Amino acid sequence: MSRSRLPNPRARLAAIAATLLLPALTAAALPAATHAAEPTPVPTVPVSLPLLVGLTDVTRAGTERIDRGARQVDRRFRRRALRALRGSKSVDAVIRRAWLTRVTDRATYQAQRRALSRARRAAATLTGVRGYEQRNALRIVENLAAGGILTTDRLYPVILTLSRNTDWWTRRNPPRVGRSLVRGADPVTLRYAPGRGLILHQLGSWGRVSSLAGECLRDRAHCPRRRLRTAVNRLLALGVRRDGVLRFESYFSWSGAHAPWISAMTQGTAIQALVRTSVILHSPKDAKYARAALGAFARPAPVGVAVRAPGGRHYVMYSSAPSLRILNGHLRALTGLRDLASLGESGRALELYRRGERAARVELRKADTGAWSRYSDGGKEASLAYHRLVTSFLKDLCDREAGRRYCTATKRFARYVREPTRVGLRVTKRPRAQAAAGVSVWVSKVSTVAVRIRDASGRTVMSRDTTLTRGSHRFGWSAPRKGKYAVQVVAVGPGSPPPGRATAAVKVRRSAAEVARARARAKAKARAKAKAKARAKAEREAKQRRAKAEARKRAQKDARAEAQRTGQSSRTAVPEG
């Protein structure tokens, strides 16, 4: 049904009232028709009080009948319109359904339709990165509607986020990734996530209000109470109720969590902000809201945020990704629960806090590597920002006298930032030149590592700069020639503490090719020597043979000569007959 055909109960009521009451008022105010022909003036006849009272009763009864009729017409119209929308999963259908079920009034209904229309026009006309992000923001809303996730009570935060995206991308270029965006004193915080546009950051929003309430607790004389009241009301409008639980949901996918999901960290921060506000403004209603948000910690994920853990319960960062157990989110949730237990005198909050605190003791031991902290259970080491964040949450628990273990952990985690990285170094013993060799580097915490290998003249033969996590890592290298080499490793941990260093000396042998060439040369030399020896032997044998041949010749010559001398002597010795 088009907007022009929508019934207007007020207009219909006014028209029917005028139709019914005009004859009665005319009859009471004018004289009888029989006196109209007399030429003499007719004196004014005052309307008696009983007549007015009766007329008022008639008017009230008629008005009540008109109201009932108008309400019946309106209910029939809305029922027919809702039946027509049955099965429709478009954003337009959800907006219209919210108005038909009186979740939103007519002004809000029209404003939401305008916001959706603006977003579609911007998605169709913008180009480049701005158009890409605007289309992604619109696609998130359409996917929520198509999946049946975008219900009428979730419409306000989703359309607000879409409207903020349209306002930003039609006027500005992309902000820095992860930058928080707010408008003046409005605590609603959005962040830029490439591929998702600007996303509603419930944690950042409630974090601002909790910080403001904390300042008011410390200095009540200068507390901006009106600003605090407005901010809390603003963020309460972004929550939804499911099974009596006040949930502050996120409507985008993140770190394996699919929309919609809630976070123990966000719920705990909201509880803290609400209970602080209830104390500052003496508002029991805010304490009631805090207890309503507490229900998420009593329900298992994905409906709530609680999962079984060694020692008790772990409160997850993402309700739709319960296997990802992040320490900083769990500790922040414990802080909110403890504040509600103490400031709000909630026994249920105290019970839930104790369950989570017992699990936190186990997780704290597992997260401490001895040089840094882990981001999640069994996961990688935390970045500097997250390490400092978990240190601040440990300090919050220490300040609330949650136990000495949190105070000592706070000091220990703070010391890790100042300590140099411990470095271990192992090299391949007596490697050969031009052959693969290894350098094993062990670091105690995530660090930026520089590996340098120099020869005897100081020339760098290998240079490697990288970021390494805790543990052992191997680098390959190859020496160009034999000789002595120096290996140096410098590791700088997060926060730029003093660097950790390790050195080693390596004696490199000749390369395999050089050894092969030497062996080949030795073999060639041996062959040449053998050949020379053979030639010499052959020459000696030939010389000996020649000598023997010459000796035989001489002996034969001597023999012939001797024979000749002997023949001549015999001839001269014969006497004459």
Side-chain angles (χ1 to χ4, degrees):
M1 185 176 291
S2 64
R3 291 177 56 188
S4 60
R5 296 182 182 179
L6 293 178
N8 191 330
R10 292 185 178 179
R12 179 176 282 106
L13 177 62
I16 297 174
T19 304
L20 293 177
L21 298 180
L22 185 58
L25 294 175
T26 303
L30 295 178
T34 56
H35 300 284
E38 297 182 1
T40 58
V42 178
T44 303
V45 178
V47 180
S48 64
L49 183 59
L51 178 60
L52 289 178
V53 173
L55 183 60
T56 303
D57 293 339
V58 172
T59 304
R60 184 181 297 112
T63 302
E64 291 175 355
R65 288 196 299 272
I66 293 169
D67 287 340
R68 286 195 298 270
R71 286 194 295 269
Q72 291 175 359
V73 171
D74 185 61
R75 282 195 298 269
R76 286 196 295 269
F77 160 74
R78 290 176 184 268
R79 283 197 296 267
R80 287 196 300 270
L82 286 172
R83 283 196 297 271
L85 292 175
R86 191 175 299 167
S88 178
K89 293 186 177 181
S90 66
V91 184
D92 303 85
V94 178
I95 293 175
R96 185 167 174 78
R97 192 177 293 117
W99 175 70
L100 292 172
T101 55
R102 303 184 190 278
V103 174
T104 59
D105 56 17
R106 186 175 183 82
T108 305
Y109 164 70
Q110 294 175 344
Q112 289 176 346
R113 291 189 63 186
R114 287 194 298 270
L116 181 60
S117 178
R118 287 181 58 241
R120 286 170 173 167
R121 285 198 303 270
T125 56
L126 290 175
T127 59
V129 177
R130 295 161 62 190
Y132 172 74
E133 297 295 359
Q134 175 66 20
R135 287 187 289 273
N136 287 335
L138 180 61
R139 189 178 298 112
I140 288 175
V141 179
E142 291 174 342
N143 290 341
L144 289 174
I149 298 171
L150 184 58
T151 52
T152 56
D153 54 350
R154 290 169 173 156
L155 195 57
Y156 176 70
V158 171
I159 295 298
L160 173 64
T161 305
L162 182 61
S163 179
R164 291 286 180 90
N165 272 275
T166 305
D167 293 342
W168 182 274
W169 300 118
T170 53
R171 294 178 175 89
R172 303 185 182 184
N173 289 321
R176 177 175 51 85
V177 176
R179 176 186 171 187
S180 296
L181 305 172
V182 295
R183 285 185 177 180
D186 188 354
V188 177
T189 304
L190 282 84
R191 282 191 178 179
Y192 175 46
R196 300 175 180 86
L198 305 182
I199 57 176
L200 175 62
H201 198 247
Q202 295 269 25
L203 176 60
S205 303
W206 279 109
R208 291 177 182 274
V209 177
S210 181
S211 178
L212 177 61
E215 294 175 3
C216 288
L217 282 178
R218 290 186 291 270
D219 185 8
R220 299 197 183 191
H222 299 88
C223 174
R225 287 176 170 79
R226 182 174 297 178
R227 176 186 168 193
L228 179 61
R229 176 75 274 160
T230 303
V232 169
N233 291 342
R234 175 70 163 152
L235 296 188
L236 284 173
L238 302 180
V240 298
R241 282 188 179 268
R242 288 288 187 278
D243 298 327
V245 178
L246 180 58
R247 298 158 52 96
F248 299 99
E249 298 177 332
S250 296
Y251 302 104
F252 53 89
S253 298
W254 192 267
S255 296
H258 55 83
W261 51 268
I262 58 174
S263 169
M265 194 173 188
T266 301
Q267 294 288 124
T269 305
I271 288 173
Q272 184 184 65
L274 289 168
V275 72
R276 285 176 172 179
T277 303
S278 70
V279 172
I280 297 164
L281 302 182
H282 305 287
S283 171
K285 189 175 182 179
D286 291 311
K288 184 178 178 181
Y289 285 130
R291 288 190 291 271
L294 183 65
F297 295 92
R299 289 168 169 78
V303 178
V305 295
V307 295
R308 292 182 179 273
R313 294 289 187 273
H314 176 89
Y315 302 128
V316 296
M317 181 73 79
Y318 310 106
S319 61
S320 57
S323 61
L324 180 60
R325 303 183 181 185
I326 301 172
L327 179 62
N328 65 70
H330 182 61
L331 296 178
R332 185 68 182 88
L334 292 181
T335 304
L337 294 177
R338 189 172 180 87
D339 283 357
L340 180 57
S342 58
L343 296 177
E345 300 180 352
S346 171
R348 188 184 184 199
L350 181 59
E351 179 186 356
L352 293 171
Y353 163 78
R354 286 173 176 168
R355 292 179 185 175
E357 195 275 330
R358 289 194 297 269
R361 301 176 195 176
V362 180
E363 294 180 20
L364 183 58
R365 291 194 297 268
K366 295 170 66 176
D368 190 353
T369 67
W372 203 249
S373 65
R374 296 187 186 277
Y375 175 71
S376 60
D377 185 17
K380 296 181 179 180
E381 294 167 283
S383 64
L384 176 62
Y386 280 118
H387 181 80
R388 286 176 170 167
L389 184 66
V390 76
T391 304
S392 67
F393 293 159
L394 289 170
K395 185 177 183 303
D396 289 342
L397 290 173
C398 174
D399 294 341
R400 287 162 174 78
E401 300 180 355
R404 291 184 58 186
R405 62 177 55 85
Y406 299 107
C407 299
T408 56
T410 300
K411 296 176 182 178
R412 189 167 63 250
F413 279 27
R415 188 183 72 243
Y416 291 161
V417 180
R418 302 188 301 269
E419 286 181 344
T421 303
R422 299 190 298 275
V423 182
L425 177 61
R426 293 180 60 185
V427 296
T428 304
K429 293 182 178 180
R430 296 179 58 80
R432 290 193 177 278
Q434 299 178 3
V439 175
S440 295
V441 179
W442 178 88
V443 291
S444 61
K445 59 182 175 181
V446 59
S447 303
T448 300
V449 178
V451 182
R452 301 288 185 272
I453 301 179
R454 297 180 175 86
D455 59 15
S457 64
R459 185 172 63 90
T460 301
V461 297
M462 193 201 74
S463 176
R464 190 77 58 85
D465 296 286
T466 186
T467 299
L468 302 180
T469 57
R470 173 185 172 86
S472 182
H473 306 268
R474 182 178 174 84
F475 297 88
W477 73 292
S478 176
R481 60 184 67 83
K482 71 175 183 178
K484 292 183 178 182
Y485 291 81
V487 182
Q488 183 185 48
V489 178
V490 179
V492 180
S496 300
R501 300 176 184 274
T503 58
V506 183
K507 186 175 182 180
V508 178
R509 297 179 295 168
R510 293 181 302 172
S511 66
E514 290 180 350
V515 172
R517 287 195 295 269
R519 289 176 178 173
R521 286 194 298 268
K523 290 180 178 179
K525 186 176 180 181
R527 286 195 297 269
K529 186 176 180 180
K531 288 181 180 179
K533 187 176 181 180
R535 283 197 301 270
K537 182 178 179 181
E539 289 176 356
R540 285 196 304 273
E541 291 176 350
K543 187 176 181 180
Q544 290 175 357
R545 288 194 297 272
R546 287 195 300 272
K548 289 179 179 180
E550 290 176 356
R552 284 196 299 272
K553 288 180 181 180
R554 285 195 298 271
Q556 291 174 0
K557 186 177 179 181
D558 292 342
R560 286 194 297 270
E562 183 65 24
Q564 290 176 359
R565 286 195 299 271
T566 304
Q568 292 176 359
S569 300
S570 61
R571 284 194 300 270
T572 56
V574 175
E576 295 179 356

